[in-house]
Amino acid sequence: WVMVLLNANSFTVITASLLASVYIGFLQSDLNTIIQLPTPASIPEDVEIVDRNILRNVISITGGESIASYKGDLVTGTLDGNLVGFSSSNHSIIWSVPCPPNSKGVPCRILGIRSLNDILYGVDEHCRLFRFQDNTFTWLLDENHEALQDLKPGLFNDLVLSEDMVYISDSFSFNPALHPLQRFFSFENSGRILGYNLKTGELGVEAEDLYLPNGIEFSQDNSSLLIAECSMYRITRLDIRSKERTSFVSNTFGAVDNIRRSKNGGYWVGLSASRFTSSSLPDYLGRYPALRHMLTNKATLPLLLLYDKVFGSGPALYKIDSEGRTLRLIVDLNKLTNTVSFSEAHEVGDHLFVGTPFSANTFVFQFDPSGF
């Protein structure tokens, strides 16, 4: 497929493949499952464009999706399976510790990471939960855990924790044949929020039937969880005690990734493939289930990757208040960062350390502290 896409004379091959996939999709899809997304929001007049005044530094860390403060340093995971510590002042890498691979030898890819009482907790794409202390990884959940074998999770994406509990976003049901990008475009609602008790070791389901839950954060009073339903462009509030769900933010400016509290109240939210004014590919596919099914065909994955690279509107960050109202929107419309996604914004002083899941860099943005 890569060769086909690069071949200027391959139009006929691509067209035939797509037509065949569409035909298969119509045969196999449930044509009644229509997803109507809200009309994409218009770009605000006060939008902030990423430029050289905002982008202050680039740190060469590949795949640093989530960032946490830890013993005076900042830490993140890398695409090749390391836990890396770096300085928040001069941005140099200080230390690196290999994260153990899974039982099949596949490198550990850390997708969510948090710090509590000078202990790091994190989740990786192999549906494992770890504790990191004194340069040692301890697996609290892994493929040998009986409860995980029963629940059959698909992708641990993020976590948030209290003294007693760890809440984990499990983005979709187990299906190793499909790429996460295909799961995003399929609009399936097999995602869940799992709760792990740090004292008893018990694991349970807090919420299910979610549309690709990604980032997760506590509300300001810690009574609710804020859940980024990535493929539905919304943030849902889940009451921890009653399990009642209500809307917190609807019709977000892009596919919602991690949510993190700001020191001055409110939250920073990472976005990929921002959508403004015109209908995006996910908006279009929501109305055509057969075409969505087509995109779960392995042969179409390169086309999805190509779409994300070429036609995405650029990554974005936005700040929302405790009621979900937009305070600031920062968009890389000119693609200065050369990435398709800002996965997280971690606030330190007057800087935002911005994670990216696929880029070879982690970015440092600087703002007037009063603007936070």
Side-chain angles (χ1 to χ4, degrees), residues 49-352:
I49 308 299
V50 174
D51 58 21
R52 292 297 179 186
N53 293 321
I54 292 177
L55 180 59
R56 301 309 299 268
N57 201 2
V58 176
I59 307 172
S60 296
I61 298 175
T62 302
E65 178 158 353
S66 184
I67 304 167
S69 296
Y70 175 63
K71 294 185 176 181
D73 300 330
L74 295 176
V75 294
T76 188
T78 64
L79 196 60
D80 59 358
N82 291 306
L83 185 65
V84 173
F86 60 100
S87 168
S88 61
S89 55
N90 62 23
H91 310 149
S92 61
I93 295 176
I94 303 170
W95 51 266
S96 178
V97 179
C99 178
N102 71 356
S103 59
K104 297 180 181 179
V106 181
C108 166
R109 174 77 195 281
I110 299 171
L111 299 182
I113 192 167
R114 299 273 191 166
S115 175
L116 180 67
N117 300 329
D118 283 337
I119 302 173
L120 281 177
Y121 294 85
V123 292
D124 76 349
E125 64 180 354
H126 304 308
C127 298
R128 300 185 297 177
L129 168 67
F130 68 80
R131 179 175 60 224
F132 181 80
Q133 188 177 23
D134 299 326
N135 281 355
T136 302
F137 284 89
T138 301
W139 297 104
L140 305 178
L141 292 173
D142 61 15
E143 52 263 54
N144 297 317
H145 195 283
E146 184 176 347
L148 278 189
Q149 294 175 356
D150 294 336
L151 290 172
K152 294 182 172 57
L155 180 74
F156 282 1
N157 216 322
D158 196 19
L159 76 165
V160 66
L161 60 150
S162 64
E163 295 287 346
D164 299 330
M165 293 292 296
V166 180
Y167 296 99
I168 303 167
S169 59
D170 177 26
S171 290
F172 36 70
S173 60
F174 179 72
N175 187 344
L178 297 179
H179 187 276
L181 193 58
Q182 291 170 306
R183 311 297 289 270
F184 171 79
F185 279 100
S186 71
F187 289 99
E188 63 176 270
N189 63 335
S190 63
R192 299 172 293 188
I193 300 300
L194 305 181
Y196 176 79
N197 191 305
L198 287 169
K199 293 185 176 180
T200 66
E202 294 178 321
L203 180 69
V205 178
E206 303 293 322
E208 51 190 351
D209 301 325
L210 296 167
Y211 289 86
L212 214 160
N214 197 332
I216 184 171
E217 180 59 284
F218 285 121
S219 61
Q220 297 293 335
D221 62 1
N222 296 323
S223 66
S224 301
L225 297 173
L226 303 180
I227 305 164
E229 289 192 86
C230 184
S231 59
M232 290 297 284
Y233 297 92
R234 68 190 183 194
I235 300 174
T236 297
R237 178 167 35 207
L238 173 72
D239 185 280
I240 294 175
R241 289 186 178 274
S242 70
K243 311 305 179 189
E244 179 187 4
R245 295 186 213 177
T246 54
S247 174
F248 185 68
V249 180
S250 60
N251 197 19
T252 58
F253 294 108
V256 195
D257 210 313
N258 287 352
I259 309 168
R260 293 296 185 264
R261 284 180 174 176
S262 170
K263 62 185 178 184
N264 292 334
Y267 308 89
W268 284 104
V269 182
L271 301 175
S272 62
S274 52
R275 56 198 276 268
F276 304 109
T277 307
S278 60
S279 181
S280 64
L281 181 59
D283 291 282
Y284 180 81
L285 290 173
R287 302 189 294 270
Y288 299 98
L291 293 179
R292 296 206 308 270
H293 183 85
M294 175 201 76
L295 294 176
T296 64
N297 186 312
K298 282 186 177 181
T300 63
L301 179 57
L303 295 178
L304 289 180
L305 295 172
L306 185 68
Y307 166 82
D308 205 30
K309 284 280 188 183
V310 177
F311 300 107
S313 303
L317 298 171
Y318 78 118
K319 175 80 177 291
I320 55 178
D321 67 14
S322 59
E323 300 301 320
R325 295 179 293 247
T326 301
L327 298 177
R328 300 181 71 175
L329 178 65
I330 306 147
V331 186
D332 187 9
L333 284 177
N334 300 320
K335 300 188 177 181
L336 185 64
T337 58
N338 194 32
T339 184
V340 298
S341 174
F342 291 156
S343 55
E344 180 179 311
H346 183 79
E347 198 175 289
V348 179
D350 62 348
H351 290 77
L352 287 179

